[in-house]
Each structure stands twice: as structure tokens, then as C-alpha cells.
Amino acid sequence: MNEAVEKVAIIGGTGPQGKGLALRLALAGVSVVLGSRDATKAQDAATEMTALLAEKGTTADITGMSMEDATKAASELVILSVPYAGHDATLTTLAPLLINKVLVDIVVPLAPGNPKAVEMPKEGSVTEAAQALLGDSVPVVGALHNVSAITLNDLSRTINCDILVCGNDLAAKKKVMALIELMGTKAYNAGLAESARCIEALTPILIRLNISKDVPFSHAGVRICPPDAH
């Protein structure tokens, strides 16, 4: 286990994005606890992922619990990876348990029935909506909005994109960026929570490109490209 990170909770950890993150983090030596409305489903997923990583020669520490128990079990970082339709209800349930934690919100407000568009909440972004719901005592960090679930789950490849991170608490952002970089990719501080309005809105653009017949690839992400050396 990575002692600096300790135990990270992934709420919605049985979905494609949550599973991919769990695998990547566990592969990096992070202790992971999956949280779900169905604790048995979470434990079954944890057992399956542990076995998968064992086949690859990695002894992983992945467990599954109810979403409430997983939130309690997290040392500090709690990743929220649920469908947008359940975002606010899930946070309302977990809010009392998030005191002294950092919420990492990776949810994108994709339009119902149309993943090529977003429907932003009145606060401007999901990240800002989460911060408004939880209040200033719980730091919210927006991250991992633009990385494909298929990419995360394909452990034969490295993560092919950089990660833009935003939020109003600098110390919390740095902790999240350090966690992300354990997965072998680069994280950038993209500013305050309001930056999530741009970052979250990139996701449907990437989806549109990735399903386009005119584009000769899929599962692309965003990369920050430094200038060529002279």
C-alpha cells in the first residue's frame, strides 16, 4: 500500500469509470475501497478486480462496502463516480460523512439521451454544484472528467491523456494531483472550481470526436503540449 495516500474510497466503484480507477490505483499500490448502494455488489467487484490483478502479478488491496461505510473508511480522499442523475442525491446522503474528507468529483453532466452535449447545473458545473451542496467545510476537487473508462480499464496501455484538476482549496488539489500522478499520467492545476465549466464541457466534444467516422481513432483524451525544443 502507498502509505502517503492510505485508503481511497470510490463511490460508484462498480461502474466502468469507478472500476477503471480502482484498478489503476490498486496497481500503483493504493488501498482502495469501493462504495455502492449494494454492498454485496461492491464486494463482488472488489474480489473480481483483486483476482484480475493477481493474474498480473500484483497483490492488490481492494475491498467493497456500502457507500456510507466506504466514505467512512476513506483516510481522506473520496472519489465520486456516479451517473449525473444520482449526483445530488448521493451527495446529500453522504454529506455528514464527508466532514474532514476531500471530495473528488469526476461526474460530467451529460444531457439525457445525448452524450454529445452537456446540461450544466445552475451553479455552472457539477464541481461547483457539489461545493455549494456540501458547503465550504468540505473541499471539492474536480478531476478526471476527460479520461475514457475504456482507457482506464485497459491495463495493457498507459493512460493516454493529461488530467485537468480544479477546485478552490489548493492543498486539496495538490493531494488529488499527487494521487492521479501515481497512475502514471500528468495532472495540471487548472484553477478554481469555476474552471470545471470548461473542463466538464470538453467531455461531450471528446465523445463526439471519438465516435465520428471521420476520425481514425477512439478513446482520445486531452494532452497539454509544451512547445517544441529549439
Side-chain angles (χ1 to χ4, degrees), residues 55-80:
E55 291 175 3
K56 298 180 180 296
T58 297
T59 301
D61 180 10
I62 309 176
T63 53
M65 305 177 183
S66 69
M67 63 180 189
E68 293 88 350
D69 287 343
T71 301
K72 293 176 187 176
S75 301
E76 184 174 21
L77 301 181
V78 178
I79 299 173
L80 184 63

Side-chain angles (χ1 to χ4, degrees), residues 41-206:
K41 183 179 179 181
Q43 185 53 57
D44 288 346
T47 300
E48 177 185 319
M49 283 186 270
T50 300
L52 175 64
L53 291 175
E55 291 175 3
K56 298 180 180 296
T58 297
T59 301
D61 180 10
I62 309 176
T63 53
M65 305 177 183
S66 69
M67 63 180 189
E68 293 88 350
D69 287 343
T71 301
K72 293 176 187 176
S75 301
E76 184 174 21
L77 301 181
V78 178
I79 299 173
L80 184 63
S81 176
V82 298
Y84 177 50
H87 177 271
D88 288 3
T90 301
L91 275 190
T92 299
T93 298
L94 298 180
L97 307 175
L98 286 167
I99 302 300
N100 298 320
K101 313 277 187 182
V102 172
L103 180 75
V104 186
D105 202 322
I106 75 170
V107 177
V108 175
L110 296 178
N114 182 12
K116 295 183 288 185
V118 287
E119 287 188 3
M120 291 297 193
K122 66 181 186 301
E123 292 84 358
S125 67
V126 174
T127 302
E128 292 170 282
Q131 190 66 82
L133 191 155
L134 295 173
D136 293 338
S137 61
V138 178
V140 175
V141 177
L144 295 157
H145 298 107
N146 309 140
V147 58
S148 159
I150 291 175
T151 294
L152 289 173
N153 281 279
D154 184 358
L155 300 182
S156 70
R157 300 176 182 272
T158 58
I159 296 175
N160 64 334
C161 59
D162 297 324
I163 308 299
L164 301 175
V165 178
C166 62
N168 298 333
D169 187 305
L170 180 58
K173 278 190 289 189
K174 287 184 174 180
K175 290 173 183 176
V176 174
M177 291 167 68
L179 178 72
I180 289 168
E181 293 190 348
L182 288 175
M183 296 188 288
T185 190
K186 178 66 179 173
Y188 288 93
N189 180 356
L192 299 177
E194 64 188 22
S195 295
R197 302 176 190 186
C198 302
I199 300 169
E200 293 171 18
L202 279 174
T203 298
I205 296 173
L206 289 169

